[in-house]
Amino acid sequence: MKLTQVTIDDDFWNYYRDLVRTRMIPYQWRVLNDLEAVANPGGNSYDAQDNSHAIRNLRRAAGLEKGGFAGMWFQDSDVYKWMEAAAYSLQSHPDAALAGQCDEVVALIAAAQEDDGYLDTYFQLEAPDRKLKHVARSHELYCMGHYIEAGCAYYEATGSKPALAIAVKMADYLAAHFGPEPGKLHGYPGHPEVELALTRLYQVTGDRRHLDLALYMLNQRGTEPNFFKAQAKTTAVKNEPYWSGDWQDLGYFQADVPLTQMPEPEGHAVRMLYLLAGAAQAGRLGADDALMAACRRLAERIIDHQMYVTGGVGQTVNGEAFTFPDDLPNDTAYAETCASCAMVFFLQAMLQAAPEAEYADVIERELFNGVLAGVALDGAHFFYVNPLEVDPTACRLDPAKRHVLPTRPAWLNCACCPPNLARLVASLDRYVYLARGARLEVNQYVGGTARLDNGAAVTQTGGYPWREGQTFTVTAPAGVAFTLALRIPAWAAGWSLTVDGRAVPPAARAGYAEVPVHDGAVVVLTLPLQPRRVHADPAVRADIGLVAVARGPIVYCLEQADNGAQLPWLALPKDAALTATGDAATFALPLVRVTAPGLRLPGSAAAVAAGPQPQPLSFIPYFAWANREVGEMSVWVRDTQNA
Ligand code: FUB
Ligand code: ZN
């Protein structure tokens, strides 16, 4: 049984998918073409200090205008991720004008690509003699990888042969320069991404050489003699104009040991996760058991010890990196939006390899929390860093918190996150179902319809994540029967199921409730959505004595706008009832708040004698924070004995 089509029609996700289609894609197009005033020269270094110039760089590389390169040296990837988002959007909403823009971009990219397949506008415009000389830092393979993904997506959406041809030509270039053969670079990129892209190209073209190159790069990484060290001794220089400074240690690049021997996730978080995403895809497609075992082990280490309750990953601004197990500081967290996107790419590949409800749980956590927090409800402001605690004064005055912004800028100097988020939300349909044999797994609770190659269709409806009760209605040709495997989230104690109106005993196998279905079957799954308290593992020093609030998959936070200033003085007594309350008025999309009778602890020496005073607490979903006036925010609140 295979999925032939998944459509989405869901109250919650329609808001975000419409936002991507009607706001983010057009807005980002204008930004990439320098038509939006995003520059903020006086702002934090995370705000855009200048316009994007990304399309202009391509025009210049194509010889359509004169001039050099501007922006981050991997800026090409912003265009490619935009194009990938547009491709997914076209798949669900055909739009001739957008397709026309994409065709223009494809023609521009084809004109900028060199005859041998190379494309990286920074090197073409600024340093043509430095191509592939410093692969640890250069991002050439990162950019080409992002194009390959975009080219595949656009080909799948529209059948564009030119888009696919560029990708194949790039892959041929890479195969001509990397590999075990004498005379080639026995290496891999400093920023993994192309490995995942090559697996995608393999799936589109069926050409095994693409998968083999991905596997080569993945298994070569971190072996001796070390490729990065070798380039450092020969062609790489310490102070590249695009990235000066000391040689970063190999762990930053996940290149000190092979992935199969890496004990803990290490180094730059997004690189680590893209590496794992590529390894999981290549490992499953190439039946590389050692890579898959490494992916499973590292997934567990990340999920259990280096992931925030919001799904955020990457604890420190220094190297945008992992630190060590159970170190999860809330107010200096990095938790880049791209890292949450990358967790989804990685764990989806793991799920494709084998059903593992926990991975689908984490994907859900990322989607509703870590990912969505990256974009404002207007679709035109973006977080790069996603902290769990913010004091705007500290952001301004504490140099250790410069990376933590209390409000989303209109664009970012390093603009990797906005188009990453756009392409993920636009491709949400890929994450809802997986067909495996005669079993249709429902991994995400998102309304819409899944069609199967046996002629059956499953329509999912319901008010998730706000209201209980998801309904699955099956239509199927006579004689067609299959199993619906419904993920039971780990938080869903007390879940229940009815089939054709009759309650069935709730039994889950490896995290999935399995229901045999045929034409006309109606299955209703009730995942209880009463608000709950969440405590961190006691090993997490930053969260000792604190509690968070969640409801279903949504993690909540306190904001100053609802609760006043000095959030650390607020406390949630252990016996305080948590109440879910609909709020359709405050934000651009209706949501559910959680309220509780709380306490405000004495805020001055003089007030200590009076003791804690009652204060109602109002929690909003974490993804919705920073959409009103600038103020404090905290996910964790003091956990006190009963009032
Ligand atoms: O290096 C390219 C992108 O910039 C990474 O993926 C992000 O983490 C940021 O460092
Ligand atoms: Zn990013």
Side-chain angles (χ1 to χ4, degrees):
M1 198 168 78
K2 283 199 170 59
L3 280 163
T4 54
Q5 191 194 31
V6 177
T7 54
I8 291 184
D9 185 10
D10 178 277
D11 281 352
F12 180 87
W13 285 107
N14 284 354
Y15 177 84
Y16 277 101
R17 287 168 61 82
D18 287 349
L19 197 67
V20 169
R21 184 171 56 85
T22 64
R23 302 293 306 278
M24 287 171 74
I25 289 174
Y27 172 76
Q28 295 188 12
W29 176 247
R30 291 196 302 278
V31 171
L32 296 173
N33 282 280
D34 306 332
L35 300 172
E36 279 285 336
V38 291
N40 186 15
N44 186 292
S45 61
Y46 281 73
D47 297 48
Q49 306 293 304
D50 190 5
N51 288 327
S52 162
H53 309 303
I55 294 284
R56 197 182 73 178
N57 291 334
L58 281 162
R59 289 179 56 76
R60 290 180 174 182
L64 299 175
E65 66 174 65
K66 293 224 171 317
F69 180 95
M72 287 288 194
W73 69 104
F74 46 84
Q75 203 96 331
D76 295 356
S77 58
D78 298 352
V79 178
Y80 306 152
K81 280 188 270 183
W82 173 87
M83 178 175 142
E84 193 182 337
Y88 299 132
S89 174
L90 287 169
Q91 226 157 14
S92 51
H93 278 87
D95 172 340
L98 181 59
Q101 276 170 346
C102 289
D103 287 339
E104 269 176 40
V105 170
V106 168
L108 178 60
I109 293 169
Q113 187 176 33
E114 297 190 346
D115 289 344
D116 63 358
Y118 184 90
L119 178 52
D120 184 301
T121 66
Y122 171 80
F123 286 93
Q124 288 167 264
L125 293 171
E126 300 294 330
D129 57 339
R130 300 283 301 145
K131 290 177 193 159
L132 302 187
K133 296 279 191 288
H134 194 161
V135 180
R137 293 186 180 187
S138 70
H139 284 62
E140 291 154 289
L141 277 64
Y142 169 87
C143 288
M144 287 195 251
H146 272 304
Y147 178 80
I148 291 171
E149 286 204 81
C152 290
Y154 193 56
Y155 170 75
E156 286 178 328
T158 65
S160 166
K161 291 206 171 100
L164 186 61
I166 296 169
V168 170
K169 205 165 149 184
M170 267 176 194
D172 288 345
Y173 170 86
L174 296 171
H177 289 82
F178 290 87
E181 297 85 2
K184 291 188 182 176
L185 295 170
H186 305 316
Y188 36 82
H191 194 314
E193 147 60 30
V194 77
E195 303 85 342
L196 179 63
L198 287 167
T199 66
R200 177 101 191 246
L201 190 60
Y202 162 65
Q203 287 174 279
V204 171
T205 62
D207 185 341
R208 173 79 202 200
R209 288 177 310 140
H210 305 318
L211 176 59
D212 287 342
L213 182 57
L215 285 165
Y216 170 75
M217 288 179 173
L218 290 159
N219 284 313
Q220 177 69 2
R221 199 176 190 93
T223 58
E224 292 296 334
N226 188 283
F227 169 64
F228 291 161
K229 278 194 208 153
Q231 278 214 322
K233 283 197 200 118
T234 52
T235 56
V237 295
K238 205 166 176 186
N239 288 315
E240 296 286 2
Y242 55 85
W243 182 354
S244 59
D246 284 342
W247 175 255
Q248 231 103 4
D249 66 272
L250 291 171
Y252 168 87
F253 299 102
Q254 299 80 35
D256 53 344
V257 288
L259 196 57
T260 50
Q261 293 162 32
M262 198 180 280
E264 295 285 349
E266 64 180 25
H268 183 277
V270 176
R271 289 169 204 247
M272 180 77 234
L273 296 169
Y274 277 17
L275 176 63
L276 288 168
Q281 277 298 4
R284 90 178 170 90
L285 294 167
D288 186 327
D289 294 343
L291 270 185
M292 290 310 289
C295 288
R296 267 192 300 279
R297 183 170 46 72
L298 288 162
E300 293 309 318
R301 295 304 298 169
I302 294 169
I303 293 168
D304 293 348
H305 298 282
Q306 302 209 45
M307 182 180 81
Y308 287 93
V309 67
T310 53
V313 174
Q315 301 100 313
T316 177
V317 63
N318 288 309
E320 310 185 297
F322 285 99
T323 56
F324 59 91
D326 305 315
D327 175 46
L328 291 163
N330 293 304
D331 56 350
T332 53
Y334 205 67
E336 182 179 340
T337 304
C338 281
S340 280
C341 296
M343 283 288 282
V344 175
F345 306 147
F346 168 38
L347 296 176
Q348 180 69 8
M350 296 300 286
L351 263 186
Q352 284 173 285
E356 179 64 65
E358 187 194 14
Y359 296 155
D361 279 7
V362 177
I363 291 175
E364 177 177 67
R365 180 183 295 278
E366 298 291 358
L367 288 172
F368 281 112
N369 305 286
V371 171
L372 286 189
V375 61
L377 295 171
D378 67 1
H381 293 84
F382 306 92
F383 273 139
Y384 183 114
V385 167
N386 293 281
L388 284 82
E389 179 185 335
V390 164
D391 169 7
T393 308
C395 297
R396 213 163 19 92
L397 300 178
D398 180 350
K401 293 182 184 160
R402 285 275 154 73
H403 62 290
V404 178
L405 302 189
T407 186
R408 296 175 184 82
W411 200 246
L412 308 158
N413 255 353
C414 171
C416 47
C417 301
N420 216 0
L421 189 152
R423 71 179 177 143
L424 174 53
V425 173
S427 59
L428 182 67
D429 44 283
R430 295 174 165 241
Y431 299 91
V432 183
Y433 303 95
L434 279 176
R436 224 183 287 269
R439 172 179 146 118
L440 180 68
E441 278 163 27
V442 184
N443 283 313
Q444 302 303 331
Y445 293 109
V446 177
T449 298
R451 290 178 210 289
L452 296 158
D453 64 350
N454 58 11
V458 176
T459 297
Q460 182 180 167
T461 53
Y464 199 79
W466 307 130
R467 291 192 311 282
E468 294 178 1
Q470 286 296 100
T471 300
F472 300 84
T473 309
V474 178
T475 59
V480 168
F482 57 99
T483 298
L484 207 53
L486 303 164
R487 173 178 60 96
I488 305 301
W491 50 259
W495 62 277
S496 62
L497 198 61
T498 66
V499 179
D500 299 335
R502 284 186 306 279
V504 299
R509 196 161 63 93
Y512 291 87
E514 295 183 343
V515 188
V517 290
H518 47 76
D519 187 41
V522 179
V523 178
V524 180
L525 173 68
T526 300
L527 300 172
L529 292 177
Q530 70 271 20
R532 62 186 191 280
R533 288 171 166 77
V534 178
H535 291 94
D537 186 302
V540 180
R541 297 161 80 116
D543 298 337
I544 291 171
L546 303 178
V547 59
V549 169
R551 179 173 182 267
I554 305 287
V555 176
Y556 281 75
C557 69
L558 293 168
E559 268 205 303
Q560 182 174 336
D562 302 306
N563 300 284
Q566 300 295 0
L567 297 182
W569 294 348
L570 299 181
L572 178 63
K574 286 191 191 302
D575 66 350
L578 301 177
T579 307
T581 316
D583 178 353
T586 311
F587 298 95
L589 91 169
L591 47 76
V592 171
R593 284 176 185 262
V594 174
T595 57
L599 294 173
R600 180 169 279 270
L601 305 178
S604 67
V608 167
Q613 300 298 309
Q615 171 170 335
L617 303 181
S618 184
F619 297 81
I620 61 162
Y622 175 71
F623 70 75
W625 89 274
N627 278 285
R628 295 174 287 177
E629 64 267 30
V630 175
E632 295 176 39
M633 182 279 291
S634 186
V635 169
W636 296 98
V637 58
R638 213 159 288 280
D639 187 20
T640 63
Q641 292 308 316
N642 303 339

